[in-house]
Each structure stands twice: as C-alpha cells, then as structure tokens.
Amino acid sequence: MSHIPSKDEILQWIADNPGLSAKRDIAKAFGIKGAARIDLKRVLRELEEEGHLEKRKKTYRDPDRLPPVSVLQVNGPGPDGDLTARPLEWQGEGDEPVIHLVPRASDPALGAGDRILARLSLMGHGPDYQGRLIRRIGHNPRRILGIFRAGSEGGRVVPIDKGSDLEWMVPPGATHGAKDGELIEAEQAGPKARMGLPKARVVTRLGDPSAPRAVSLIAIHQHGIPDDFPDEVMAEADRAKPVGLSGREDLRELPFVTIDPSDARDHDDACYAHADDDPKNEGGHVLWVAIADVAHYVRPGSELDREARKRGNSTYFPDRVVPMLPDRLSGDLCSLHEGVPRPCIAVRMRLDRHGEKLGHTFHRGLMRSTASLHYEEVQEAVDGSPNDRTGPLLDEVIRPLYAAYAALQEARGRRQPLDLDLPERKIVLSDEGEVLSVRFRDRLDAHKLIEEFMVLANVAAAETLIARKSPLLFRVHEEPPVEKLESLRDTAQSAGFTLAKGQVLKTAHLNQLLNSAAGTDHAELINMSTLRSMTQAYYAPQNFGHFGLALANYAHFTSPIRRYSDLIVHRSLIAAHDWGKDGLDGAQIAELDSVAAHISETERRSMTAERDTTDR
C-alpha cells in the first residue's frame, strides 16, 4: 500500500511548497496512488476540521459543474426579453449558475415555471451556461414524418409510415415555410379532435426526400424502428432522481476518465489504472472499468424496461441516434459526465506484467469522472502534444492506462483473436445535412485501448456469473460452417494463398492467411472473404463461446445505455452479489430465451437500417 503521510508531514510539505496545496500535488509528492487517495482525502478533511487548513473551493475537489444534459426550470424573460433558467439538481457549493436559453425557430414557447431538459455548454470561462431545449418535461407530442402537401389554407402531412393512411392538417401559420412535396417532421398540435383530421405543426423542413438529411429518417420508418417514446415511458424517466451514496461504495476519489469520440453525447464507461503495489506482482497493473448503473433506473417490469426491451438497442446513423432509453437517462442520469457523481457498477481487475488477468472483483458504487476526453486528444498527449485538459492527467492517469494496455496487447498476441483489416468509413455532414466527406476512421491506440479494456471487463462479467451459477445472456459467435470455409479456401487458393485443411480451425490459422495477404493487391479480397465466412454473432442463455475473439466465456456488460443485453448482465450481477431488489428475478430468467431471440433480431434490424443509410 502507498504510505499515507502524517498530518505534520503534510503541513510541512505545504509550507515548503506554497501554491502547490491541491490534493493531486500532495498525492504526487508522496507517491500516493489508487485507493490510497481516499485515505489521503480523509486526513486532509481532518486537517480542515481542526482549523489547520483553509478549505478552498478548488483545492481538494473538482470544480463545480453541471452535466451537459440537465433538468432546468425556466425563470421567464428578463428585462431584455431573453429567457433564463435555473438548474434543479445543482450540487455545487457556490451560487447556482445562470443558464441563458438559446431558442430555435422550431422550439415551442416557454414560460416561467416550465421544467425542461436542455443541453448545456459553458459560456467562455465564466460560471454561466448556454442552454438549448431538448424537450419540455411532461410534454411529449407525437412526431410525424411525411410529405407536405400545400393547400389554400396551410396544408396537410402525408405520413410515410408503413400502414398509415391518416393524414394530418397543418393550420395557417404552422407550416414553418414548408413547400409542396418537401419531406418534413411535424408534431401533434393540441389534443386529438373527435371529428376531422388531427392537427400538426411543422417543426423541421428536410427538403428533397432523397437528400442526405432525409435518408436516415426514411430508413427508421421503413425498417419499423421505434423512434417515439410513449407518454408513460417519458413520465417515468422524468420522475427519476440522481442517486446518492446510500448502499454504494464511494469511488469518487478514483480518477476515472471517459474516452470517447469527440461528438459523443453519452458516456457508458470510464476507466482508471495504476501500477499494482503488491510485491508479489512486480510490474503488474490494477485496472478499473466503471459502467453506468442503468439497472438502478430501469427496473424489471417498469414502463422503461418494457420499452427498452422492445427496442433492444440504440440505432446509430450519420446524423442522428435512435436511443434505447429516453434522453433524461441516456444523456443525463445514466451518463458518466465529467465532474458530477454518477452511479456505476465497476470491476477491479489485477493483471500481471504480461497482461494475464490474475483476478477481479465487482463493486456497486458512486463515481465522479475526472475528465471526459476524446480519442484524438488522448493519443496526442501520449505522442508528446498534451493540451490544457490532458497535460495535468498525463502522468497520473493517461500513461498508466497505456501501460496496462501494453500488457494486454502482449496477452492478445498469445490469444490470437481474429484480426481483420476492414477500415470503417465515417460520413461527415454539414449542419444542413449535406455530405461534406466520406473518409476512413483513424484507428488509434486510444481506440484499441478502450476496446481491450471493454473486452476484458466483459470476460470478467461472464466468468463471475458462471462461477456463481447465475443465469445471463452470453454473446455467442460460433465457428464458421464447413461450406463457407471451403469457399474461403478456394478464394485464397485462386489468389495464391493457402488455408490449411485437416485440423481444428483456430483464429490463428485465419490470421496467418490475412497476414500473408497484407500489403498485396488481394488484401481487401481476402479480408472481405474471411468476413463473409463468419457466422453472425447473437445472444443466448447458453454458452457456445466467442470464436472471433478466441474466448471461451464472453458476455456484454459495458454498454447498458444502448444494449438491453448488457442490462440483463447487470441485473444478474446485482442478484449474484445481493446488491438490491433490482436484480434478475425468476420471471425474467424464464424469459431469457425469448429475450435473446428478440434482441438478436433488433440488432440485425438496426444493422440493416444503418447499412442502408450509409450506402444511400
């Protein structure tokens, strides 16, 4: 364990180092790492209570901040007519910040006392925020996608939904300037009338139905992907409150970080690593992976649960996301935002110097992310170009993550998972929805680091539940069928390569073929042919292993915001550890076969819709 300095030692060091009294400075000076930081915080708090240290706002805690998605109450217009709002869940020690609302033409009128969910951004370096409306809480109008047909007074909306022949009337003044033949989004205006057509107002003009911005919306409706949440689901989400520490381990002093794409709106997972101080594991690592505790909010049998199960997963398009959970959860309470406490289920894993997992334990806790980082800035920091955000975290947080990743890479080399080289394309759109570019996504070590951590956490979840004989859903990927292997073998032979016969196929054999083709004119052909020979992964209560990852035990644990399968695994962990009444129960266990089949199908539906959109 790290040596915790005495109170006298701390006071003497602060006296000798004026201006360096922040907790991170003290921790670095005395070599305090990992969970020992919690003990340091206790000593510092005692010094404050005894009057030896002045408690300063920025000395021993993260700066006060609001999450990027927050519940607000509208104050009403000020003297200049601008709307402001106040946060309803402010947890800071200072004065509440003021949120200046930035309205859009399609936003409904807001008045004093309205409760809203808004996306926030800091105004410069000051304490105030700008807020953009996501929706009014308690207000969930039905949305319609259709073709606008202009009339002498207003017009009509002809929905493109399959099986829907009900048109909507758009009164004068509610057309938003839509022109005849345009694809538009509209929302229900007022209560449904007993007689005549229901009324709607145009909120978004999408223009030509074949334009890029319209493609994903059309795919959503053509493939029957639910994109409107029922009123009762939204009401249940709006009643959710932030979680306190009761019944949880306090992990807020561990410097977790999230590492995601630069445009990420939610954060499923956070990680933290440090060198193992056990002398029996010289050169080893301790790796923490914390995952949003969605199970606390989405209880079995609730309206949220039924809707999440129906959707099965979130669906991702170049210009939008159809989430599995309402934005109050997916973008706010279940997202591990920087600087705010969030409930989590975390796994602590010990690795030896060669990347082999020596053991692991699961914890239900409360964490606070130190920083929300994106892949590019993390990679630039490690490569020698840190910025203002990554610089202070480089030695204590980022480098230890890369050290643990280097060890896992060594273990991966021995395991030999399938190593396909199929670059992913990224479609970049303008604010108007026009395609600016189609380019390959960069594959940085920062991406691979997170992937390896998530794979290891998923393995740990499966192993724990198997050991405890707890039901779960496995992520299954069976080995290729014989006829597809023969086709791959013929393709390889025609290109001058060999895939050996007469032995039990392993991913290492396929990797040998892929390595032989690498750098040749046939590389793409061999990679695509190998991919086509694979079976499709699916979910099942029975464990048939994961061929592609070369793993005997594998489950999905790390993305419960966007996959129902992971929520099932979380509930199983809760039941197995006796953490509460929100775990997997007998009724859910009896339905695991049907749930597995359903969410495997919704996953395929989403993949098809995403692929169709990208192709178009």
Side-chain angles (χ1 to χ4, degrees):
M1 293 290 291
S2 302
H3 165 66
I4 304 300
S6 68
K7 295 178 183 178
D8 288 341
E9 288 176 311
I10 291 174
L11 291 173
Q12 183 60 53
W13 184 87
I14 291 175
D16 294 339
N17 297 273
L20 292 177
S21 59
K23 175 168 63 63
R24 63 175 178 271
D25 298 322
I26 299 171
K28 188 173 182 179
F30 288 94
I32 297 171
K33 300 178 179 179
R37 290 165 60 94
I38 297 175
D39 295 324
L40 173 63
K41 181 183 178 183
R42 175 182 51 76
V43 175
L44 293 173
R45 188 183 296 116
E46 290 174 1
L47 284 170
E48 290 171 353
E49 292 170 350
E50 294 167 6
H52 298 301
L53 283 181
E54 179 183 355
K55 187 174 183 181
R56 287 176 288 178
K57 182 176 177 181
K58 294 184 179 179
T59 301
Y60 303 127
R61 61 187 306 279
D62 291 320
D64 295 326
R65 67 180 67 236
L66 288 168
V69 175
S70 292
V71 177
L72 314 175
Q73 182 171 306
V74 178
N75 295 326
D80 54 2
D82 291 340
L83 282 178
T84 62
R86 57 176 294 262
L88 290 182
E89 293 163 8
W90 173 244
Q91 298 178 353
E93 296 176 356
D95 294 335
E96 286 182 353
V98 176
I99 295 98
H100 301 266
L101 299 180
V102 182
R104 292 163 294 196
S106 59
D107 287 347
L110 297 176
D114 281 347
R115 292 173 68 234
I116 64 172
L117 193 67
R119 189 167 300 282
L120 307 182
S121 58
L122 277 169
M123 297 177 65
H125 298 289
D128 292 350
Y129 291 78
Q130 281 188 342
R132 295 184 184 274
L133 178 72
I134 295 175
R135 63 177 175 85
R136 283 207 306 254
I137 288 179
H139 181 71
N140 183 37
R142 180 179 171 185
R143 287 261 173 161
I144 310 107
L145 178 71
I147 303 297
F148 181 74
R149 294 302 178 194
S152 57
E153 294 186 3
R156 296 189 180 192
V157 181
V158 181
I160 68 166
D161 285 353
K162 288 183 177 180
S164 176
D165 55 3
L166 178 66
E167 295 186 359
W168 293 70
M169 183 180 71
V170 182
T175 65
H176 197 42
K179 298 178 180 178
D180 188 71
E182 281 189 331
L183 183 71
I184 57 94
E185 274 189 298
E187 69 176 22
Q188 181 178 337
K192 188 174 180 180
R194 292 186 180 181
M195 302 285 290
L197 296 177
K199 293 182 180 180
R201 67 184 188 93
V202 177
V203 293
T204 308
R205 294 172 57 192
L206 298 166
D208 182 353
S210 64
R213 199 174 175 192
V215 169
S216 58
L217 280 170
I218 292 172
I220 289 167
H221 288 260
Q222 286 182 336
H223 290 278
I225 295 172
D227 65 333
D228 281 328
F229 286 101
D231 290 344
E232 57 271 21
V233 174
M234 298 296 279
E236 193 170 279
D238 289 344
R239 289 194 295 270
K241 301 295 182 185
V243 171
L245 188 58
S246 177
R248 296 178 178 274
E249 293 184 50
D250 191 348
L251 306 177
R252 288 174 293 180
E253 287 303 304
L254 298 183
F256 283 103
V257 293
T258 61
I259 306 176
D260 292 290
S262 57
D263 57 355
R265 290 196 169 188
D266 57 62
H267 308 281
D268 282 294
D269 53 86
C271 53
Y272 164 56
H274 63 85
D276 193 351
D277 53 14
D278 185 344
K280 297 179 181 179
N281 188 29
E282 185 177 353
H285 309 270
V286 174
L287 172 63
W288 285 82
V289 171
I291 307 298
D293 188 358
V294 176
H296 172 84
Y297 293 103
V298 184
R299 302 297 179 102
S302 65
E303 298 293 343
L304 282 165
D305 182 46
R306 280 190 280 272
E307 184 68 17
R309 174 175 167 174
K310 173 184 172 183
R311 295 178 179 228
N313 48 266
S314 299
T315 307
Y316 293 82
F317 299 96
D319 62 336
R320 71 190 67 233
V321 177
V322 180
M324 185 179 78
L325 300 171
D327 41 28
R328 171 63 169 146
L329 300 184
S330 62
D332 184 11
L333 296 177
C334 294
S335 190
L336 306 180
H337 292 306
E338 176 180 332
V340 292
R342 286 290 181 259
C344 66
I345 295 180
V347 56
R348 179 185 186 270
M349 299 171 282
R350 292 182 64 236
L351 314 175
D352 69 17
R353 64 192 305 166
H354 304 295
E356 294 298 328
K357 182 163 64 65
L358 302 178
H360 65 268
T361 53
F362 280 88
H363 308 260
R364 199 174 198 185
L366 190 70
M367 60 156 285
R368 181 191 286 118
S369 171
T370 301
S372 295
L373 306 175
H374 60 77
Y375 293 116
E376 290 78 11
E377 67 179 337
V378 170
Q379 192 64 53
E380 288 169 2
V382 170
D383 292 342
S385 299
N387 59 25
D388 291 343
R389 290 160 46 77
T390 56
L393 301 171
L394 185 57
D395 291 331
E396 185 179 0
V397 177
I398 296 175
R399 291 196 193 280
L401 291 173
Y402 274 75
Y405 166 62
L408 288 176
Q409 279 293 87
E410 185 179 339
R412 177 187 171 93
R414 291 190 297 274
R415 194 176 87 239
Q416 284 282 305
L418 188 62
D419 192 16
L420 289 168
D421 182 17
L422 296 168
E424 184 181 357
R425 289 173 172 84
K426 178 179 176 63
I427 299 174
V428 181
L429 301 176
S430 69
D431 292 340
E432 291 72 36
E434 296 299 321
V435 176
L436 297 178
S437 66
V438 180
R439 57 181 174 81
F440 289 117
R441 290 184 186 269
D442 294 329
R443 283 283 294 158
L444 306 172
D445 281 347
H447 293 98
K448 299 173 186 176
L449 174 149
I450 294 299
E451 289 172 4
E452 285 300 309
F453 291 176
M454 297 306 112
V455 166
L456 195 65
N458 287 336
V459 169
E463 289 178 348
T464 288
L465 294 175
I466 290 170
R468 295 183 179 231
K469 296 181 171 56
S470 299
L472 73 150
L473 290 183
F474 293 93
R475 181 61 168 175
V476 175
H477 185 228
E478 298 183 80
E479 49 186 70
V482 174
E483 60 272 15
K484 288 194 173 183
L485 278 179
E486 286 301 322
S487 176
L488 174 60
R489 192 171 282 114
D490 291 342
T491 301
Q493 188 172 359
S494 67
F497 305 106
T498 302
L499 179 61
K501 279 187 176 182
Q503 55 186 322
V504 176
L505 182 74
K506 296 182 179 179
T507 48
H509 301 137
L510 295 171
N511 286 339
Q512 288 173 3
L513 171 62
L514 294 167
N515 290 334
S516 298
T520 72
D521 293 340
H522 302 290
E524 184 174 2
L525 169 67
I526 297 301
N527 273 273
M528 289 302 300
S529 298
T530 302
L531 177 65
R532 292 191 186 104
S533 71
M534 295 294 109
T535 59
Q536 192 165 33
Y538 61 96
Y539 296 104
Q542 301 81 28
N543 185 15
F544 301 116
H546 198 293
F547 175 79
L549 291 173
L551 291 169
N553 307 304
Y554 195 66
H556 273 167
F557 157 72
T558 54
S559 293
I561 289 178
R562 60 187 180 92
R563 292 190 304 229
Y564 195 78
S565 58
D566 304 52
L567 180 57
I568 293 290
V569 170
H570 276 233
R571 288 174 177 167
S572 189
L573 287 167
I574 290 166
H577 290 87
D578 197 23
W579 281 334
K581 298 180 180 179
D582 47 352
L584 204 64
D585 59 25
Q588 297 171 78
I589 293 169
E591 294 182 334
L592 283 183
D593 277 303
S594 61
V595 169
H598 171 70
I599 64 176
S600 295
E601 180 56 38
T602 62
E603 180 185 54
R604 286 190 286 271
R605 178 182 67 186
S606 292
M607 290 173 62
T608 302
E610 291 165 1
R611 186 171 58 247
D612 287 354
T613 301
T614 301
D615 289 346
R616 290 180 68 176

